Each structure stands twice: as C-alpha cells, then as structure tokens.
Amino acid sequence: MINYCTVNVGRGGNLVADKDKEKGQEQVIDEAVGEKEIRKLEFRGGVFTATIPLVFFIIWAIVLSVTGLVTEQALVLGMVIGIGLGLFLCKSKWSDYAQSLISGMAQPVGVVAIIAWFWAGMFANMLSAGGLVDGLIWFGFQSGLEGGAFVGITFLLAGLFSTAVGTGYGTVATFGVLMYPAGVILGADPVILLAAILSGAVFGDNLAPVSDTTIVSATTQDADVPGVVRSRFKYSITAAIPALILFVIFGGGGEMGSQQVVSELQNEVSPEGLLMLAPFALVLYLALSGHHLLTSLSYGILAAGVFIFLSGHSLKDVLHIHKNDAGEAVIEGALIDGISGYFNMAILILFILAAAYLLDVAGTMDVIKNFFLKLINNMVRRAELSIFGIVAFLNVFITINTAAEIAAAPFVRKLGTEMNIHPYRRANFLDTVTSSLGYIFPWSGGVLLAWATVQGAADQYDFLPVVGPGEVFPFVFQGWLLLIVMFIAAWTGWGLRYSGKNGEEVKPEDYEK
C-alpha cells in the first residue's frame, strides 16, 4: 500500500509535510474512503498488466494529438475506456478493483489541486474582465518597439501575465489573439513571435504560485508552494535571460503592416487595465509571504472586483444570472467562466489518479522503483537523471502537462525519497520538465492551442500568416533552455539539497558530514 505523509496547515496556511505522522495520515485516508485496508490486486499477465489503463490513455492521447482531434473531453473518454479495459484484465474481485479506483481518486493531492484551480480560474478571469491584457498591450504599443524588440517585450509581458494568473493556456489564447497581429504588423517574425508567446507561457506555468503545475508538483512531493517557487526561481531566470536575448536577435525580419491596421489595433486597447496589476501583485505578495493559496486568491478576487467597479466596468462582467430569449436560466461572467474552465481537467485528473493508484495496489510501482534503484546504484546523479528521463518520457505522450505531471509524480516521489532528495528539488524537476515540454512538441496541448488561436486571428485579419505546429517548436527558447538547465543541474548536482532531520534543506557537503 502506498504511504502518505500528513499534511498540516501551519502558520499562514502553508501545506507542510510531517513525515513523523505517516501512519496516522494513512489511517485517516483509509477511513475517509470507507475501507481500513486496500487489498492487493492481481492482474492477468502479471504486475505490468496494471499499466494497461495508462498505456491505452497515452496511445489514445498521442493519436488524437497527431490527427489534430485532441480535446479535453476526448482525453477523459480515453481514460475511462482504459480503466474499463483494466477491469476485464483484473483477476481479483471487481469490487476490490472499484474500491481501488475510489481510493485513488480520494487522494488529497487531487482534491487540493482541483479546489485551487477553481479559485485560480476565477482570479484569472477577473483580471481579464478588468482589462489587464488590454493594458499590457497598450504598454507594448507605447514603448515604440518593433521587430525583434517587440518579440522580446512580448516574451516579457506573456511571462508576466502567465506568472500573475497561473495559466499558460490562457496566456497563449489571449496573447495569440492580440499580440500576434500587432507584432506581425510591426515587423516581427511570425514564427519567433508565436514561440515567444509559448515561452512566456512556459515561464509563468513553471513559476506562478497559482499555476496548476506548481500546485501539483508541490503537493505531490509534500512541499509548500511558496518554498517551491523561491527555490525554483534560479532555474527559471537562468533560462529566461538567454531566451530573451535570442528572441530579440532572431525576432525581426518580418514585413511591416499598414499604418491603418496599426492604428486600428492601437485604438482597441487602453491603459486603464493596468490598474489590475494591483490585484495580481497582491496575490503574488500574499502567496510568497506564506499565506494559503485560497486566502491569497480570495483577497485577489475581492480586490479585482473593487477595481472593476471603480474603473466603470459592468458588474455583469463578473456575475450575471438571467434568462435568455428562450426563457432558459443562464449564468455568465468571470466567476463562472473561471470555474467551468477547469471542469474537464478536474475529471481527467481524478481518473488519472485512479489509474496511477492501480500501479501501487498491483505492485507495479515497487517493481519499477526497484529496477531504477538497482540502476542508480545509490548514486544521486543517476537518480536525478532517471527522474528527468521519466518525467520527459511521460510528457512526450501525454499532451496536457498537468496530466503528465500527475502520472509522473509517484515515480519522482519514490525515487527521490529513497535518496533523501529534498521535496523542493523533486518538485522542481517534476515541474520544470513538465512545463517545458507542454509547450514544445507539435502535438502538445499548448502548441495546438497556439496554432488554433492563430487560425482564428487570421480569420479576422487577412494579412496574418498561420504558423503550423511543426514550424514553431524548435524556437520555444524558454522551454528548451529550461530543459538544458535542469539536465545540467541533474548531471552536476547544482542546486541539490537533501532533507534534514526536521525536513529542512541541507547542502550536500553538510549532509555528507
């Protein structure tokens, strides 16, 4: 049976791992799902048959991605079919199989992540309703930057926005609609410009305290989010500085658009939205100061509502419950949009948690763990390189980065805890690799979203070229450089920290003593 660590709410509401209470937490979780002990499952063909649900899902996901038919609903269906196949391959009682699925879904990591996503989604949509994106774009126009310089500022603004709202997909969608047309007109290379938007999404997805990948990487490794973000910054900025330089150097070379089109776009944006910088700065400050994410986001949502009201926006943009022309009840606005945007992902994550839990109760995880333990031969470098490889491999096949992170998390946790690698370090490997590859491969969710967004923008502006997924992926500099940084960190031990007796970070030289 998988062991859990107790998760306590300390001062400021942070999630803190308390390894001294593993047994008590395990009992609490077992009682919460209605069973004191989960029975070991046996499958036809041995322990690796338990991987069939996840393997089917991976194949399903990559086929849909390559054919351009991937949607979150389709991914959910693929996971359900995979779990159904596992049922027919299970030699144990089907009731035990079903109970294992329920226990897997009941793991705290899934519940915590889903609740946080809902709050983060509401906050992000509140900022958009207040015109923050328009304000950021207005700033870009006022700077007078063109060509490569405009691509560089796009990367910075996309990274800032993604860090503030914690949604890389939202960044790709909004900046693809607004910054991409403007950049093409101002002489930016379309391929590099789109890569800069994707790179900004990578930066924020990796670093934002309210990002789903940050939340999942921290909670699955028994780490607090503020501490993870602080320890992760050195890796993110090491990749971001050369990425910015590359975007400025290679981002020019496009043809300037007509002044008429430039004027039309300038008239669509205004500086008032920059007032919404205050709410997201408040959230960042509270989150990094040690306050619970829900506390930080709740204050941010309230502050955003105040600024929306003071700026003259309609409160219907926040919440509007009414009847449509057909007499049907309709609820609209930033709050409900923020919650509903995560419904499909929440369902998908629960099913992936259930499928991954089957590997524990079938003994598959122990076999895999023992294989890698023999491979690493008690060497931390090999352990971290193995963690890097496992996370990268799963991200190649699972197109939604958070889903891939959930699937890889148990392996990272088991290998890392065996070598006493600190939770911050484990979370950083899990998140940086996941955030990077989620916006690099042509079949990844982020790249496909960017491609679809550009297609939609081209319908509105006939002068826009449509950049294909295969064109953009070599130039997502932040993603590739972040992967290189983390590979070097694993190979050289840069940033390596062990867990001390009280869970504190210990440098290798002090740990060896």
Side-chain angles (χ1 to χ4, degrees), residues 108-302:
V109 56
V111 177
V112 171
I114 290 170
I115 293 175
W117 293 342
F118 288 162
W119 257 254
M122 289 189 291
F123 177 63
N125 278 268
M126 289 287 285
L127 293 182
S128 296
L132 175 58
V133 178
D134 286 352
L136 292 175
I137 293 170
W138 173 89
F139 175 78
F141 276 126
Q142 296 303 310
S143 66
L145 300 177
E146 299 176 350
F150 187 89
V151 174
I153 198 67
T154 297
F155 169 60
L156 291 176
L157 292 175
L160 177 64
F161 180 77
S162 184
T163 301
V165 301
T167 167
Y169 284 3
T171 301
V172 170
T174 53
F175 277 69
V177 169
L178 298 171
M179 293 296 276
Y180 183 77
V184 170
I185 291 174
L186 296 175
D189 182 280
V191 174
I192 306 299
L193 177 59
L194 190 60
I197 294 173
L198 288 166
S199 291
V202 172
F203 184 88
D205 228 11
N206 173 231
L207 199 60
V210 295
S211 167
D212 49 1
T213 58
T214 300
I215 295 166
V216 169
S217 67
T219 54
T220 57
Q221 305 306 311
D222 297 323
D224 60 281
V225 171
V228 164
V229 171
R230 286 192 293 266
S231 68
R232 183 174 297 165
F233 181 77
K234 59 180 176 289
Y235 307 120
S236 301
I237 200 66
T238 300
I241 292 174
L244 175 61
I245 295 173
L246 290 172
F247 282 127
V248 173
I249 293 174
F250 296 104
E255 297 181 0
M256 295 287 290
S258 68
Q259 186 60 43
Q260 179 182 356
V261 177
V262 173
S263 300
E264 290 177 357
L265 289 175
Q266 287 177 322
N267 292 333
E268 292 180 4
V269 295
S270 63
E272 285 80 9
L274 292 176
L275 292 173
M276 301 304 292
L277 289 170
F280 86 65
L282 174 63
V283 169
L284 290 177
Y285 170 77
L286 292 175
L288 293 174
S289 298
H291 290 272
H292 194 283
L293 281 175
L294 295 189
T295 302
S296 305
L297 289 170
S298 295
Y299 277 116
I301 291 170
L302 290 174

Side-chain angles (χ1 to χ4, degrees), residues 215-477:
I215 295 166
V216 169
S217 67
T219 54
T220 57
Q221 305 306 311
D222 297 323
D224 60 281
V225 171
V228 164
V229 171
R230 286 192 293 266
S231 68
R232 183 174 297 165
F233 181 77
K234 59 180 176 289
Y235 307 120
S236 301
I237 200 66
T238 300
I241 292 174
L244 175 61
I245 295 173
L246 290 172
F247 282 127
V248 173
I249 293 174
F250 296 104
E255 297 181 0
M256 295 287 290
S258 68
Q259 186 60 43
Q260 179 182 356
V261 177
V262 173
S263 300
E264 290 177 357
L265 289 175
Q266 287 177 322
N267 292 333
E268 292 180 4
V269 295
S270 63
E272 285 80 9
L274 292 176
L275 292 173
M276 301 304 292
L277 289 170
F280 86 65
L282 174 63
V283 169
L284 290 177
Y285 170 77
L286 292 175
L288 293 174
S289 298
H291 290 272
H292 194 283
L293 281 175
L294 295 189
T295 302
S296 305
L297 289 170
S298 295
Y299 277 116
I301 291 170
L302 290 174
V306 172
F307 277 93
I308 288 175
F309 176 76
L310 294 178
S311 61
H313 288 275
S314 172
L315 292 180
K316 291 182 179 180
D317 295 335
V318 177
L319 181 64
H320 185 207
I321 304 175
H322 62 98
K323 289 185 177 182
N324 58 19
D325 295 338
E328 300 171 334
V330 177
I331 180 170
E332 298 174 326
L335 294 178
I336 188 61
D337 290 342
I339 295 175
S340 61
Y342 284 100
F343 281 163
N344 293 324
M345 180 58 66
I347 296 171
L348 178 61
I349 291 304
L350 290 178
F351 278 116
I352 289 180
L353 281 172
Y357 189 73
L358 295 176
L359 306 185
D360 282 295
V361 294
T364 314
M365 291 289 287
D366 290 331
V367 173
I368 296 175
K369 182 198 71 174
N370 292 334
F371 169 80
F372 277 103
L373 287 177
K374 291 179 181 179
L375 181 67
I376 66 179
N377 195 25
N378 205 34
M379 293 180 62
V380 176
R381 177 190 294 181
R382 291 184 182 179
E384 294 198 328
L385 288 173
S386 297
I387 289 173
F388 182 97
I390 290 171
V391 178
F393 176 78
L394 289 176
N395 273 275
V396 168
F397 295 101
I398 302 178
T399 60
I400 304 297
N401 52 9
T402 308
E405 190 170 87
I406 287 287
F411 294 92
V412 175
R413 177 178 173 130
K414 283 183 177 291
L415 291 179
T417 52
E418 288 288 341
M419 304 303 298
N420 203 33
I421 299 172
H422 195 274
Y424 290 168
R425 178 78 165 183
R426 303 197 312 258
N428 288 337
F429 272 106
L430 181 59
D431 189 276
T432 50
V433 177
T434 297
S435 296
S436 298
L437 294 179
Y439 298 91
I440 289 179
F441 290 115
W443 57 83
S444 66
V447 176
L448 291 174
L449 176 63
W451 170 63
T453 302
V454 169
Q455 281 187 314
D459 292 337
Q460 182 178 359
Y461 305 104
D462 55 10
F463 60 85
L464 284 182
V466 176
V467 177
E471 299 177 77
V472 71
F473 85 96
F475 305 103
V476 185
F477 296 133

Side-chain angles (χ1 to χ4, degrees), residues 1 30 35-39:
M1 173 191 283
D30 287 341
E35 186 172 57
K36 295 286 180 89
E37 182 179 356
I38 302 298
R39 295 183 178 88

